[in-house]
């Protein structure tokens, strides 16, 4: 039988693998093997060839029905009995019996059929198929009383197992059609002494065997085709979660806790992910493996939507909330495949002033406490990798300062079991140095010195330690004060973890190999001759990649209405490029299909997050956006129109809670400017007015009218915060219409321009500055990076998010200002140069009353309280 199966499979183009278990395998061991095969996406059909005594219900029903090509599971048999044969697999042996009879010219309608000695699924399938043909079917075992009479009355006899010797052939009436299917297909054994009855109507077991084998292969082909169809794009059969909005709207955490999320493996299956493409973390989070990109590489991408905003108040204007509301509207209310792609929030702001970033009201990612806290540990992995590299830098300087060339070399390339060998990364360094040797004993003294000494200039070190906590007292520290550091000390600092270049690398990479290469290219300092020193030079690239190997996989969660969300990477937009990962966007664009939408968010105002999204992220990804959704609020527009200062934690003045048409009209200058910035890139703009309960109809109508006059494709008020996706259906329709228009996307500048020209272009075209002013230090850094060959990288401006200018208190649209560039740094691994505008801190501080005063844990229920 194996040879027959193999030959048929080869003719058909199938691969067959025989898994041979030990003869004494237990039921549990067989089931365990079946379950493994169930989850193997490369296997589309599974046939059991085991001894009859092991065919328990447990074993048979362990098979996935969609891989059960012998039709033995209860689900396949049940569908057959119910009349849904086109939806299930039918026993190949039973089908072979019917086909052979019909091809022999036997009319089955009205015939009396006796099935003798068949058991289980074969017996049930034969009875069902004969009855469908209009036959009167009886089943009997060999030891059944009155078997002689039944055999005598039957028109057709089907032998399901070998005939006992004590049953004489004369019991079968001459002229009766007899089919012998006593070949045990599942065990692969032929029944010994099977009857060779020479009636005119005999069809022997070999005939049944061959046809059944062919029909089994046909079932395999059907299973493969069905699987292939499922891989093609289709509209998701997504079970959306119902909302029951309350008024007044409860707190974010109460709303989040009031909704029970779907199991994440159920969500993954609904959106087309395979079981082996996810790694589940708890009940509501999963990581998605990058292998999905290879599987869906021929799938057309969906529409790509960016959510940006006007210059915000310190309270934020709800871009995350709009993003979530929009995808809830698209998928739960318009039945369109859509995915939200968000950044993972830093725990610094979560415990500081701003709070979490899961959205708010009835437009949230759930569970919000898991979203806002550790998630799956990506930021912790970044912190560990970053600080390992920082430790490697100072340790290398210490050892080079205290050891001779020979001693240093002997420790870098030690003798292990009487053998001295270079590691792979050391061989790469030798190649970089132009030393084409692989035997450590053959290096000259000069080559040993060149290899062993990095000669890092401590004053040029740009790599800082990081921590995911707002701690102002780590902004300037002294390291190396212990006696064991032998007097080597220097001034250093901590940055917030999300400002690490490794976070930017994670956000911009497109594969594991690309991430490893980017990590290796990261420049941490210059040597004493002015050449860059990289993570590769320090020999730490492999270790960094190991620490980041899980972090590279996007995190799958869901909205309050059960629609999918990727949460991945979280660089700040003021001190980094402020966008979620390229990988999350690319996977989501494949999963939604050509007619679907991926909605991603850029941090802070369009002048910062959106500009970097276009000029940095889109260059790295090669993706072209279709629409920009620009988020505005009446509150922020009043601030830009001359309203009182807005301070976090301080109640709003009456100008913000009462109607004031003039303030709104005056403040729309900022909205108009941000629309113009988006138009520089050739992408249509839809303005989403995030409506608060204190906004009046006159204020809302005015904003929408002025936005359209400024060139917006449309402007729509949104109410998702209070009612969920239903409140953003108009926005979703506007976005769909805008996305149907042709995008004329273009970059703002050519990366081949000199660094100073690229900075000036952003300052003048985006911020509205008259010109830029470089500090001597900034100019020196630009000269150094250009000389080192990094002058053709895009620019990532580190600037306040509270104004278009460098001065946070300048609202509206400041004009004729000179933009000061105080310093310039390089993230070579991530792939950009970042100028610091004015005095930008890369480590936030805590306010007088941080959010942590309100955060607590109910020790009885283990529920988190006070997050928002």
């Amino acid at each position: 039988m194996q040879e027959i199966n193999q030959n048929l499979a080869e003719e058909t183009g199938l691969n067959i693998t025989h898994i041979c278990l030990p003869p004494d395998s237990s039921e549990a061991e067989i089931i365990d093997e079946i379950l493994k095969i169930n989850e193997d996406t490369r296997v589309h059909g599974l046939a059991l060839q085991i001894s009859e005594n092991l065919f328990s219900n447990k074993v048979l029903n362990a098979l996935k029905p969609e891989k059960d090509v012998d039709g033995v599971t209860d689900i396949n048999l049940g569908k057959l009995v119910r009349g849904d044969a086109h939806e299930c697999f039918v026993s190949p042996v039973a089908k072979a019996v019917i086909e052979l009879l019909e091809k022999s010219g036997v009319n089955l309608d009205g015939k009396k059929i006796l099935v003798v000695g068949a058991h289980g699924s074969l017996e049930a399938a034969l009875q069902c198929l004969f009855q469908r043909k209009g036959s009167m079917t009886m089943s009997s075992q060999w030891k059944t009383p009155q078997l002689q009479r039944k055999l005598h009355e039957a028109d057709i006899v089907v032998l399901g197992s070998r005939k006992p010797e004590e049953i004489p052939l004369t019991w079968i009436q001459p002229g009766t059609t007899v089919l012998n299917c006593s070949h045990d297909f599942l065990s692969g054994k032929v029944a010994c002494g099977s009857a060779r009855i020479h009636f005119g109507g005999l069809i022997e077991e070999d005939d049944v065997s061959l046809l059944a084998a062919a029909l089994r292969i046909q079932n395999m082909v059907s299973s493969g085709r069905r699987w292939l169809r499922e891989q093609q794009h289709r509209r998701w059969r997504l079970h959306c979660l119902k909302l029951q909005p309350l008024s007044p709207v409860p707190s974010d955490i109460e709303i989040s806790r009031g909704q029970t999320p779907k199991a994440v493996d159920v969500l993954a299956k609904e959106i087309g992910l395979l079981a082996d493409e996810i790694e589940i973390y708890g009940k509501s989070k999963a990581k998605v493996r990058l292998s999905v990109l290879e599987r869906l590489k021929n799938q057309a991408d969906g529409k790509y939507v960016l959510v940006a905003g006007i210059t915000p108040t310190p309270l934020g204007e709800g871009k995350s909330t709009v993003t979530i509301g929009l995808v809830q509207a698209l998928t739960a209310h318009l039945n369109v495949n859509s995915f939200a792609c968000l950044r993972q929030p830093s725990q610094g702001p979560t415990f500081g002033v701003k709070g979490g970033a899961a959205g708010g009201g009835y437009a949230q990612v759930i569970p919000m406490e898991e979203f806002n806290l550790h998630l799956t540990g990506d930021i912790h992995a970044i912190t560990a990798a970053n600080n390992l590299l920082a430790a490697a830098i100072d340790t290398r300087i210490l050892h080079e300062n205290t050891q001779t060339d020979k001693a240093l070399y002997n420790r870098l390339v030690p003798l292990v079991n009487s053998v001295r060998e270079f590691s792979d990364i050391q061989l790469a360094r030798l190649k970089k140095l132009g030393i084409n040797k692989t035997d450590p004993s053959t290096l000259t003294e000069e080559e040993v010195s060149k290899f062993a000494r990095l000669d890092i200039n401590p004053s040029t070190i740009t790599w800082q330690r990081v921590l995911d906590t707002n701690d102002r007292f780590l902004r300037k520290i002294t390291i190396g004060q212990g006696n064991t550091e032998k007097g080597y000390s220097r001034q250093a600092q901590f940055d917030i973890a999300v400002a690490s270049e490794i976070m930017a690398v994670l956000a911009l990479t497109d594969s594991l190999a690309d991430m490893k290469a980017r990590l290796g290219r990261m420049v941490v300092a210059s040597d004493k001759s002015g050449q860059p020193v990289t993570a590769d030079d320090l020999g730490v690239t492999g270790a960094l990649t190991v620490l980041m190997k899980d972090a590279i996989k996007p995190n799958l969660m869901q909205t309050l209405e059960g629609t999918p969300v990727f949460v991945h990477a979280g660089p700040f937009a003021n001190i980094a490029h402020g966008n979620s990962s390229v990988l999350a966007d690319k996977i989501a664009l494949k999963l939604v299909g050509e007619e679907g939408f991926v909605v991603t968010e850029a941090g802070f105002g369009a002048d910062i997050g959106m500009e970097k999204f276009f000029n940095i992220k889109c260059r790295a990804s090669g993706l072209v956006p279709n629409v920009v959704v620009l988020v505005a609020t009446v509150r922020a527009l009043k601030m830009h129109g001359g309203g009182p200062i807005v301070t976090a934690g301080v109640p709003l003045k009456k100008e913000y809670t009462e109607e004031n048409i003039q303030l709104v009209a005056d403040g729309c200058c900022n909205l108009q400017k941000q629309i113009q910035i988006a138009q520089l890139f050739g992408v249509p703009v839809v303005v989403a007015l995030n409506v608060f309960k204190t906004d009046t109809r006159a204020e809302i109508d005015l904003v929408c009218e002025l936005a359209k006059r400024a060139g917006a494709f449309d402007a729509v008020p949104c109410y998702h915060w209070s009612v969920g996706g239903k409140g953003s259906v108009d926005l979703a329709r506007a976005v769909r219409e805008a996305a149907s228009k042709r995008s004329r996307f273009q970059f703002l500048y050519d990366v081949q321009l000199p660094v100073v020209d690229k900075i000036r272009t952003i300052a003048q075209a985006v911020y509205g500055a008259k010109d830029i002013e470089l500090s001597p230090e900034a100019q020196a850094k630009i000269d150094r990076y250009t000389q080192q060959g990094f002058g053709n990288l895009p620019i990532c401006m580190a600037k306040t998010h509270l104004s278009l200018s460098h001065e946070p208190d300048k609202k509206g649209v400041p004009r004729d200002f000179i933009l000061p560039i105080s310093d310039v740094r390089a993230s070579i691994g991530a792939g950009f140069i970042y100028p610091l505008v004015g005095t930008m801190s890369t480590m936030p501080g805590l306010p007088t009353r941080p959010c942590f005063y309100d955060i607590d844990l109910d020790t009885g229920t283990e529920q988190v309280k006070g997050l928002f």
Side-chain angles (χ1 to χ4, degrees):
M1 282 308 300
Q2 288 187 4
E3 287 178 8
I4 291 169
N5 286 334
Q6 192 71 48
N7 291 336
L8 288 170
E10 286 177 6
E11 286 184 38
T12 316
L14 298 179
N15 293 321
I16 283 191
T17 300
H18 294 285
I19 298 175
C20 302
L21 300 180
D24 58 349
S25 296
S26 66
E27 178 183 80
E29 288 169 333
I30 294 170
I31 290 173
D32 185 55
E33 194 67 34
I34 290 171
L35 294 177
K36 288 178 188 174
I37 298 168
N38 282 347
E39 300 307 317
D40 190 340
T41 55
R42 299 167 299 173
V43 177
H44 303 118
L46 174 58
L48 298 178
Q49 295 181 347
I50 55 178
S51 60
E52 192 172 344
N53 64 310
L54 287 171
F55 275 102
S56 65
N57 278 334
K58 279 186 179 179
V59 169
L60 296 180
N61 288 303
L63 273 75
K64 269 190 174 179
E66 57 267 34
K67 295 188 179 184
D68 169 28
V69 292
D70 278 315
V72 297
T73 59
D74 288 351
I75 289 177
N76 278 323
L77 285 170
K79 287 181 177 180
L80 176 63
V81 170
R82 197 174 60 196
D84 297 329
H86 61 286
E87 292 183 6
C88 66
F89 287 120
V90 179
S91 163
V93 179
K95 282 180 71 176
V97 167
I98 300 294
E99 285 196 25
L100 285 170
L101 284 169
E102 290 183 332
K103 287 177 180 177
S104 299
V106 178
N107 181 7
L108 295 174
D109 188 23
K111 289 290 192 296
K112 293 180 181 179
I113 312 292
L114 179 63
V115 179
V116 187
H119 302 275
S121 60
L122 177 60
E123 179 185 12
L126 284 167
Q127 282 190 338
C128 188
L129 291 177
F130 276 123
Q131 286 169 2
R132 294 275 155 73
K133 297 294 182 180
S135 307
M136 295 177 288
T137 309
M138 297 178 292
S139 271
S140 179
Q141 297 306 314
W142 289 112
K143 295 184 179 180
T144 301
Q146 301 179 333
L147 175 62
Q148 182 178 0
R149 179 180 59 80
K150 292 179 179 179
L151 286 168
H152 190 77
E153 294 174 352
D155 298 314
I156 298 171
V157 175
V158 179
L159 308 181
S161 60
R162 67 173 180 165
K163 181 187 73 65
E165 294 294 334
E166 62 268 23
I167 305 294
L169 298 179
T170 55
W171 286 11
I172 300 176
Q173 190 80 354
T176 302
T177 302
V178 180
L179 285 97
N180 189 352
C181 55
S182 60
H183 191 298
D184 186 345
F185 291 95
L186 297 177
S187 68
K189 297 176 182 176
V190 180
C192 298
S194 56
R196 297 271 177 175
I197 313 168
H198 295 289
F199 296 117
L202 175 69
I203 300 172
E204 294 191 7
E205 73 271 11
D206 286 347
D207 301 319
V208 179
S209 299
L210 289 170
L211 182 55
L215 290 170
R216 182 180 292 106
I217 294 294
Q218 190 177 77
N219 282 350
M220 296 248 191
V221 171
S222 298
S223 176
R225 283 178 174 159
R226 184 185 305 168
W227 180 86
L228 192 60
R229 283 195 302 271
E230 289 174 356
Q231 306 318 302
Q232 308 305 310
H233 166 66
R234 57 181 170 80
R235 184 164 289 172
W236 296 335
R237 292 188 285 271
L238 198 71
H239 166 64
C240 293
L241 305 177
K242 299 296 182 185
L243 288 181
Q244 294 180 320
L246 300 176
S247 184
V249 176
S251 70
D252 290 350
I253 198 163
E254 287 175 308
I255 294 171
S256 173
R257 198 161 285 148
Q259 185 72 290
T260 302
K262 290 181 284 191
V264 73
D265 58 330
V266 173
L267 174 64
K269 187 173 182 180
E270 287 177 338
I271 62 175
L273 287 167
L274 306 180
D276 66 347
E277 290 172 344
I278 62 170
E279 298 170 3
I280 296 174
Y281 284 63
K283 295 179 180 178
S284 53
K285 307 185 296 289
K287 281 197 164 290
V288 176
R289 293 176 178 162
L290 307 189
S291 58
V292 67
L293 281 172
E294 176 62 24
R295 177 171 66 87
L296 298 178
K297 63 183 177 183
N298 296 321
Q299 172 80 286
D301 287 348
K303 302 291 191 297
Y304 198 26
V305 179
L306 174 70
V307 176
I310 64 171
T311 304
T313 69
L315 307 176
E317 308 317 306
K319 289 190 307 302
S320 300
T321 311
V322 169
T323 301
I324 300 305
L326 176 54
V327 294
Q328 288 181 174
L330 283 165
T331 301
H333 299 273
L334 297 182
N335 197 27
V336 175
N337 291 358
S338 74
F339 230 113
C341 292
L342 300 178
R343 290 172 296 161
Q344 180 184 353
S346 163
Q347 288 179 181
T350 299
F351 291 101
V353 176
K354 188 175 177 289
Y362 288 99
Q364 290 188 55
V365 181
I366 57 173
M368 67 95 79
E369 58 267 45
E370 294 186 28
F371 176 96
N372 284 319
L373 297 177
H374 305 284
L375 198 60
T376 56
D378 294 351
I379 293 180
H380 300 316
I382 288 165
T383 302
N386 184 100
N387 293 343
L388 176 62
L389 181 51
I393 297 166
D394 289 302
T395 301
R396 187 59 174 265
I397 293 172
L398 171 68
H399 291 312
E400 287 189 24
N401 285 344
T402 56
Q403 296 180 48
T404 64
D405 289 352
K406 184 178 180 181
L408 190 61
Y409 183 71
N410 287 339
R411 284 178 171 85
L412 288 171
V413 193
L415 201 63
V416 178
N417 296 326
S418 303
V419 178
R420 191 191 299 275
E421 290 182 331
F422 291 118
S423 67
D424 288 343
I425 200 164
Q426 288 176 327
L427 288 169
R429 174 161 167 75
L430 286 169
K431 187 176 180 181
K432 177 182 175 181
L433 294 171
I435 303 172
N436 297 313
K437 295 180 180 178
T438 57
D439 184 349
S441 64
T442 61
L443 269 65
T444 65
E445 286 187 10
E446 182 184 352
E447 289 171 338
V448 164
S449 178
K450 198 175 178 182
F451 170 81
R453 294 201 175 274
L454 298 180
D455 278 333
I456 295 171
N457 181 348
S459 67
T460 66
I461 295 173
T462 55
W463 195 264
Q464 311 299 344
R465 289 162 173 81
V466 299
L467 185 70
D468 198 32
T469 302
N470 289 5
D471 190 345
R472 66 177 68 245
F473 286 93
L474 293 177
R475 289 172 178 168
K476 192 68 68 178
I477 59 172
T478 302
I479 61 171
Q481 292 187 313
N483 291 333
T484 51
E485 278 59 70
K486 303 176 183 178
Y488 167 65
S489 65
R490 66 179 181 90
Q491 276 205 334
Q493 68 184 60
F494 270 79
D495 293 338
I496 191 81
V498 292
S500 169
E501 183 178 350
I502 296 177
M503 175 63 87
V505 166
L506 176 67
L508 292 170
T509 192
D510 62 8
S511 68
L512 197 56
D514 178 62
M515 182 178 73
K516 183 177 180 180
R518 286 174 178 269
L519 292 172
R521 288 198 302 267
M522 294 188 304
V523 173
V524 299
S526 295
D527 64 21
K528 290 171 184 175
S529 64
Q531 294 305 303
V533 177
T534 66
D536 265 352
D537 293 326
L538 285 156
V540 74
T541 305
L544 300 182
T545 310
V546 167
L547 287 170
M548 294 294 295
K549 72 179 180 66
D550 292 319
I552 195 174
K553 303 164 191 171
N555 304 294
L556 177 65
M557 296 187 75
Q558 63 193 279
T559 69
L560 277 167
E561 297 191 54
T563 67
V565 180
F566 273 143
V567 186
H568 198 218
F572 279 175
N574 53 354
I575 55 179
H577 74 283
N579 290 275
S580 61
S581 78
V582 165
L583 278 169
D585 291 356
K586 284 192 168 185
I587 293 173
L589 285 164
K590 295 297 182 187
L591 289 171
V592 298
E594 194 170 6
E595 301 303 316
F597 285 79
V598 171
V599 184
T600 189
E601 174 207 351
F604 299 130
D607 58 305
I608 299 181
M610 185 192 72
E611 181 270 315
K612 295 172 184 177
F613 173 86
F614 290 143
N615 283 321
I616 297 175
K617 185 175 181 180
C618 289
R619 283 186 208 269
S621 68
L623 299 173
V624 176
N626 298 93
V627 183
V628 168
V629 174
L630 195 63
V631 178
T633 62
V634 168
R635 176 180 70 195
L637 292 171
K638 286 180 175 178
M639 178 191 73
H640 289 297
I645 294 172
V646 176
T647 306
V650 177
L652 292 170
K653 301 286 176 53
K654 64 181 179 62
E655 286 86 348
Y656 295 103
T657 57
E658 297 175 2
E659 184 176 281
N660 192 320
I661 296 295
Q662 191 59 51
L663 274 183
V664 174
D666 292 344
C668 276
C669 62
N670 187 272
L671 173 60
Q672 292 160 351
K673 173 64 176 173
Q674 303 284 12
I675 292 171
Q676 290 166 10
I677 294 169
Q679 289 173 333
L680 291 172
F681 298 91
V683 183
V685 179
V686 174
V687 171
L689 184 63
N690 192 16
V691 176
F692 294 174
K693 62 183 178 181
T694 54
D695 299 346
T696 67
R697 174 48 58 186
E699 291 172 331
I700 293 168
D701 290 345
L702 176 63
V703 174
C704 292
E705 175 61 29
L706 292 178
K708 291 176 188 175
R709 281 192 212 167
F713 177 85
D714 204 349
V716 184
C718 305
Y719 304 90
H720 44 263
W721 182 81
S722 57
V723 296
K726 183 171 68 175
S728 281
V729 168
D730 288 344
L731 174 64
R733 290 194 175 113
V735 167
R736 285 182 75 180
E737 188 177 351
S740 68
K741 308 299 179 186
R742 185 181 173 189
S743 174
R744 292 181 169 82
F745 176 69
Q746 61 184 10
F747 295 118
L748 184 65
Y749 54 80
D750 184 340
V751 288
Q752 300 303 326
L753 287 172
V755 172
V756 173
D757 290 353
K758 289 181 283 194
I759 297 171
R760 182 176 286 111
T761 299
I762 295 171
Q764 293 177 335
V766 177
Y767 308 151
K770 184 178 180 181
D771 204 352
I772 62 172
E773 182 179 65
L774 297 171
S775 71
E777 184 179 1
Q779 184 63 64
K781 292 278 190 70
I782 290 172
D783 293 341
R784 183 200 303 166
Y785 295 140
T786 302
Q787 181 268 326
Q788 291 175 342
F790 305 135
N792 60 349
L793 294 176
I795 303 299
C796 180
M797 303 288 278
K799 182 186 82 71
T800 179
H801 59 288
L802 296 172
S803 172
L804 283 163
S805 75
H806 58 288
E807 299 177 273
D809 57 337
K810 295 288 198 283
K811 306 301 181 183
V813 183
R815 301 183 190 281
D816 296 325
F817 60 92
I818 304 296
L819 192 74
I821 308 299
S822 58
D823 195 5
V824 176
R825 299 177 188 171
S827 292
I828 305 305
F832 52 74
I833 302 287
Y834 66 104
L836 274 66
V837 179
T839 54
M840 278 298 302
S841 173
T842 50
M843 170 57 84
L846 290 171
T848 304
R849 192 187 190 283
C851 298
F852 63 63
Y853 277 94
D854 302 309
I855 297 171
D856 201 359
L857 183 73
D858 185 319
T859 55
T861 64
E862 296 187 13
Q863 289 192 333
V864 177
K865 299 186 293 184
L867 275 178
F868 70 96

